[in-house]
Amino acid sequence: MANDIIRIKNARKYFGHVQALKGVDLEIGKGEVVLVIGPSGSGKSTLLRCVNRLEHLDEGEIWVEEDCVTSPHANIRKIREEVGMVFQSFNLFPHLTAAQNIALAPLAVLHESKATVEERAKALLARVGLADKAESYPDQLSGGQQQRVAIARALAMQPKIMLFDEPTSALDPEMIKEVLDVMLDLAKEGMTMMVVSHEMGFARAAAHRVVFMDDGLIVEVGHPSKLFSTPKEERTKRFLDHIL
Amino acid sequence: MPVVVMTDGLLVPGSDKGVLSAWNISFFGAIVVILALRFLSPSPNPYAEIFAFVPSGLSATFGVTIVSFIFALILGLLAGLGRIAKTKAINLVATTYVEIIRGIPLLVQLFYIYYALGPLLHLKGPASAILAMSICYGAYLGEIFRAGIQSIPKGQMEAALALGMSRTQALWRVVLPQTVKIILPPIGNESIALLKDSSLVSILAVSDLLRRGREYASTTFNYLQSFTVVALIYLIMTLFFSRLVGIMEKRLRTHGKRHN
């Protein structure tokens, strides 16, 4: 498709003798929300981390818009400005307040004015429902609050794509919803999202496609309503039986 | 497996409670003894002379300690960064530096720089002393920096990179500020060790505290009195600074645990 914003071609990745990705092809369109599911060790997080080159592919190509991420000549920092990422363990900067966490990259990377960035940080905190937590340090926030600040931090760079690496896996059950609500809002606003997660509720509500990966390969791709109820592949069915 | 943790210069753990703590006894005891010697000794009292002569070495002791420590911090930071560098050559240079320097006694390094290299480099005593102490302590501080940086979770660097920061930006704005908090106590510790080790430079024609004591003793043969004063002054200084480091460490620990 012409308006694909992420294009993954024949992605292969080894960790020592273990092949984590065995030739993955995937295109994600602009504004599309794609959920990647699969058993642990299936390569789903590795695939996600290759998109902003936190991991290097051994073979294959990944394109973000017109830039080849996997090229040695890629201006990877420029690409990362366009690709926000949210981690399972939040990875907020513990020595900075919530507002400072959000403001750091726009100040240091984009060299925006302090007033602009502070204004945006405030707006983003309000957007994730934490307007009153600007001066709080990460260790003063609950897991759900930390993850929402982390989302706001990624959004502060005004990215075109958001990557989510199991954003709710480290959260207590009662905090999962507050994070998913923020993600749902993002999806509704048309953000392109690649989400590694097993949150079926989120998938049904927001995902355009669900990708099932196993053993370093994409096994099946489909609309959530179809893939969850009538999976074509036996492996998909078995996996879904386990987690549903 | 049980782990044995040794500290050098820090408070001895486990005896730090109440008025009769080991630190109180040592510190205030030393002050009382020094004052008593000075003012209560029966005449002829050599201590008046010693106190007029010896403490002038304090400026050299502190001078060498402070200047060496500043250079050692810079070298240590470079060595620590080199030890975690992805570039093989830089890594090798830093690691070799640390291995070599830590394998040679400080006294031998002092001799080497002063006697062996001094004539070639045209270095005087104080300059040789500072050079040797900086190089030596830079290696030890380098390992503290390395350990400190490596103790910061990998996710911190990844989060910074994912936001578009360069490795250098991520290091200075995200990783190192967190590292400093962790390494301040061991760094403070090393500064006390350096203060003590600075007495070694007395053999390089540097008029530090120990050398002043030796000079006084060798002209008057009051060895006992002179070195007693020198030892007490060192003791008071190191106890004072280790208490300071202890307080700092406690502050950092409580500050690191903010809760609503």
Side-chain angles (χ1 to χ4, degrees):
Chain A
M1 260 200 318
N3 62 346
D4 284 335
I5 193 165
I6 300 175
R7 280 164 293 154
I8 300 168
K9 293 181 193 164
N10 190 30
R12 290 167 196 267
K13 168 81 186 165
Y14 298 83
F15 290 112
H17 292 297
V18 182
Q19 191 170 3
L21 298 175
K22 298 179 174 172
V24 174
D25 296 281
L26 181 67
E27 286 87 37
I28 295 178
K30 201 167 168 39
E32 199 181 12
V33 176
V34 173
L35 198 83
V36 184
I37 62 173
S40 67
S42 59
K44 54 193 194 303
S45 280
T46 304
L47 183 68
L48 188 82
R49 289 163 57 82
C50 285
V51 173
N52 66 350
R53 221 168 84 183
L54 286 182
E55 306 281 357
H56 287 262
L57 278 188
D58 292 307
E59 273 177 65
E61 283 179 6
I62 296 178
W63 292 75
V64 169
E65 293 192 291
E66 300 310 309
D67 301 301
C68 182
V69 179
T70 42
S71 155
H73 310 293
N75 184 350
I76 189 64
R77 291 180 55 195
K78 201 86 205 146
I79 298 169
R80 283 171 178 159
E81 288 174 18
E82 310 277 323
V83 182
M85 184 161 190
V86 174
F87 299 85
Q88 179 178 353
S89 50
F90 328 136
N91 296 350
L92 287 181
F93 307 133
H95 61 300
L96 302 177
T97 63
Q100 290 168 335
N101 262 280
I102 296 169
L104 179 63
L107 289 174
V109 178
L110 303 177
H111 306 291
E112 294 182 271
S113 80
K114 215 167 169 206
T116 315
V117 173
E118 275 168 7
E119 198 60 36
R120 192 185 308 146
K122 224 191 247 172
L124 282 167
L125 277 171
R127 180 170 167 188
V128 298
L130 294 171
D132 54 333
K133 298 290 184 190
E135 301 310 315
S136 299
Y137 285 87
D139 62 2
Q140 296 170 317
L141 300 173
S142 72
Q145 291 171 331
Q146 287 191 54
Q147 193 60 300
R148 284 186 280 158
V149 173
I151 294 172
R153 176 177 68 178
L155 293 176
M157 293 295 287
Q158 302 181 302
K160 294 182 179 156
I161 300 165
M162 285 285 284
L163 308 174
F164 292 84
D165 189 5
E166 309 209 24
T168 55
S169 301
L171 295 176
D172 292 334
E174 74 269 22
M175 293 172 182
I176 291 178
K177 190 176 173 296
E178 63 190 52
V179 172
L180 290 181
D181 284 346
V182 171
M183 292 170 61
L184 275 174
D185 281 344
L186 260 182
K188 274 187 207 136
E189 288 161 26
M191 175 66 78
T192 307
M193 294 164 73
M194 182 172 174
V195 184
V196 170
S197 171
H198 294 155
E199 296 294 342
M200 299 301 162
F202 174 79
R204 289 204 177 90
H208 301 101
R209 277 189 297 162
V210 174
V211 173
F212 172 62
M213 280 183 74
D214 191 17
D215 198 23
L217 284 168
I218 292 179
V219 177
E220 188 170 351
V221 183
H223 191 271
S225 62
K226 279 217 175 116
L227 189 129
F228 290 154
S229 53
T230 52
K232 277 183 250 154
E233 300 288 329
E234 189 55 34
R235 270 196 285 178
T236 318
K237 198 169 165 323
R238 245 183 298 140
F239 176 72
L240 290 172
D241 284 344
H242 272 294
I243 62 165
L244 286 180
Chain B
M1 220 171 71
V3 178
V4 179
V5 180
M6 288 289 293
T7 60
D8 181 17
L10 249 196
L11 296 171
V12 180
S15 53
D16 199 26
K17 297 250 162 63
V19 184
L20 272 181
S21 70
W23 188 87
N24 281 350
I25 293 171
S26 325
F27 184 71
F28 294 110
I31 289 176
V32 168
V33 169
I34 225 171
L35 291 175
L37 290 173
R38 171 65 185 81
F39 296 108
L40 300 178
S41 289
S43 57
N45 183 352
Y47 290 103
E49 262 180 53
I50 294 174
F51 278 104
F53 190 82
V54 171
S56 64
L58 274 175
S59 59
T61 290
F62 277 118
V64 168
T65 303
I66 291 166
V67 176
S68 303
F69 195 62
I70 291 168
F71 283 126
L73 276 176
I74 297 167
L75 263 176
L77 178 59
L78 290 175
L81 291 175
R83 292 271 280 140
I84 56 161
K86 293 242 156 101
T87 317
K88 279 244 165 63
I90 296 174
N91 193 303
L92 194 64
V93 169
T95 307
T96 310
Y97 160 64
V98 171
E99 286 289 347
I100 289 177
I101 295 304
R102 294 209 309 176
I104 301 173
L106 175 55
L107 187 56
V108 176
Q109 291 179 39
L110 280 164
F111 274 25
Y112 198 83
I113 286 181
Y114 184 59
Y115 292 111
L117 299 181
L120 296 170
L121 301 172
H122 303 289
L123 286 179
K124 295 241 167 24
S128 303
I130 288 168
L131 184 63
M133 304 276 292
S134 305
I135 291 174
C136 179
Y137 269 82
Y140 287 95
L141 293 183
E143 283 305 273
I144 294 177
F145 273 107
R146 179 195 57 74
I149 292 168
Q150 285 181 333
S151 75
I152 305 299
K154 243 179 76 186
Q156 292 290 309
M157 174 60 88
E158 286 185 351
L161 292 180
L163 285 164
M165 288 190 226
S166 66
R167 287 190 76 84
T168 315
Q169 278 178 328
L171 205 59
W172 282 99
R173 290 178 175 258
V174 173
V175 176
L176 284 179
Q178 297 179 56
T179 308
V180 168
K181 246 188 178 176
I182 294 170
I183 65 173
L184 263 180
I187 292 269
N189 232 357
E190 287 296 301
S191 73
I192 294 167
L194 200 153
L195 175 67
K196 289 187 289 183
D197 276 349
S198 75
S199 61
L200 290 171
V201 308
S202 62
I203 50 167
L204 306 193
V206 178
S207 290
D208 75 327
L209 192 59
L210 178 57
R211 188 170 180 101
R212 294 293 286 177
R214 226 173 69 191
E215 282 169 1
Y216 177 81
S218 59
T219 51
T220 60
F221 299 102
N222 286 328
Y223 283 101
L224 177 65
Q225 295 85 340
S226 184
F227 286 132
T228 301
V229 169
V230 169
L232 285 170
I233 293 176
Y234 274 116
L235 181 61
I236 290 166
M237 290 193 302
T238 51
L239 285 172
F240 174 76
F241 287 118
S242 59
R243 172 49 58 100
L244 220 57
V245 171
I247 290 169
M248 191 175 69
E249 189 176 13
K250 209 176 273 174
R251 276 236 180 118
L252 281 176
R253 215 180 292 142
T254 50
H255 188 64
K257 284 194 192 120
R258 290 177 236 89
H259 282 296
N260 281 348

